[in-house]
Amino acid sequence: MSTQVMDNRTREKSRVKIRTIAQIGMLSAIAVVLMLFEIPLPFAPAFYEIDFSEVPVLVGCFAMGPLAGAVIELIKIILNLAINGTMTAGVGEVANFLIGCSLVVPAGLIYRKMKTRKGAIIGMVTGTLFMTLVGCVLNAYILLPAFGAALQMPIEGLVQMGTAVNSNITNLFTFVAFAVAPFNLLKGVLVSAIVFVIYKKISPVLHMNR
């Protein structure tokens, strides 16, 4: 192999790397902006508001792989923390990172093996179900206790906030079952539906010169 060919390959790898970093930065910035637009839900307390910041994260995961998706999710959380601060001493941000990754990483792993419309659907359904499970566990054992501690409010107080909007919520278990689980299911379905509609239209740009 000639020196010129090796130099060309090195320059090509460097160019692709720079482009990947630029795309990760762009998608992270879009995700941070989308985090600012939150929609309250009628079946959950006011501190559960849905946003669509996982849309660019999932797009990045499909275009560049699960690792890139996790990096975009991490940058999004760090930037939001720097802009808006935290009410849970960072515990909520860690939980949100894990919950976000539990959607995009399984979806990205499956799509990497099956780069078809069917693979994308299977990946997003799997990611949505896994995110719902992880979200329930983290909320029950980490996020809700941390949020209660930050507000100096016992878990019973948070449950009462849930009861005020949903009479089926009477304890921590029903809070998770009737507020947390539907919240994550709905978010996963909506994010997946948006990505399903837009991904093929924008993927040529993301894959340009790859």
Side-chain angles (χ1 to χ4, degrees), residues 104-116:
V104 301
V105 171
L109 287 171
I110 292 174
Y111 184 71
R112 186 168 66 177
K113 298 293 185 182
M114 301 172 58
K115 289 195 173 183
T116 62

Side-chain angles (χ1 to χ4, degrees), residues 24-25 27-36 51-58 68-84 93 96-101 103-104 131 187 191:
I24 287 175
L27 292 171
S28 299
I30 295 172
V32 173
V33 172
L34 290 176
M35 283 191 81
L36 301 176
D51 65 71
F52 297 100
S53 61
E54 256 66 55
V55 169
V57 182
L58 186 54
V71 171
I72 296 169
E73 183 73 31
L74 178 62
I75 295 174
K76 180 196 80 171
I77 295 296
I78 292 174
L79 290 177
N80 183 68
L81 180 62
I83 295 170
N84 298 317
E93 284 68 33
N96 287 338
F97 169 73
L98 294 175
I99 292 171
C101 284
L103 167 65
V104 301
M131 179 179 71
K187 182 172 183 175
V191 167

Side-chain angles (χ1 to χ4, degrees), residues 152-175:
Q152 297 183 340
M153 179 186 296
I155 291 295
E156 291 75 17
L158 296 177
V159 171
Q160 289 175 6
M161 293 176 67
T163 306
V165 296
N166 188 341
S167 60
N168 292 315
I169 298 174
T170 57
N171 53 40
L172 182 59
F173 175 79
T174 52
F175 190 105

Side-chain angles (χ1 to χ4, degrees), residues 1-141:
M1 183 180 298
S2 68
T3 303
Q4 184 178 358
V5 171
M6 292 179 65
D7 288 343
N8 288 339
R9 290 189 175 182
T10 300
R11 284 195 295 269
E12 178 67 17
K13 288 180 180 180
S14 178
R15 186 179 59 79
V16 170
K17 184 177 180 180
I18 292 171
R19 184 176 180 83
T20 298
I21 293 173
Q23 289 180 347
I24 287 175
M26 177 190 67
L27 292 171
S28 299
I30 295 172
V32 173
V33 172
L34 290 176
M35 283 191 81
L36 301 176
F37 300 93
E38 297 180 318
I39 304 171
L41 298 173
F43 58 79
F47 54 86
Y48 278 99
E49 294 181 313
I50 196 167
D51 65 71
F52 297 100
S53 61
E54 256 66 55
V55 169
V57 182
L58 186 54
V59 167
C61 215
F62 280 174
M64 295 175 281
L67 179 59
V71 171
I72 296 169
E73 183 73 31
L74 178 62
I75 295 174
K76 180 196 80 171
I77 295 296
I78 292 174
L79 290 177
N80 183 68
L81 180 62
I83 295 170
N84 298 317
T86 179
M87 296 181 61
T88 60
V91 175
E93 284 68 33
V94 172
N96 287 338
F97 169 73
L98 294 175
I99 292 171
C101 284
S102 68
L103 167 65
V104 301
V105 171
L109 287 171
I110 292 174
Y111 184 71
R112 186 168 66 177
K113 298 293 185 182
M114 301 172 58
K115 289 195 173 183
T116 62
R117 179 170 293 188
K118 179 180 179 181
I121 293 173
I122 293 174
M124 290 187 291
V125 169
T126 302
T128 296
L129 294 177
F130 189 59
M131 179 179 71
T132 302
L133 175 62
V134 170
C136 288
V137 173
L138 289 179
N139 272 271
Y141 294 103

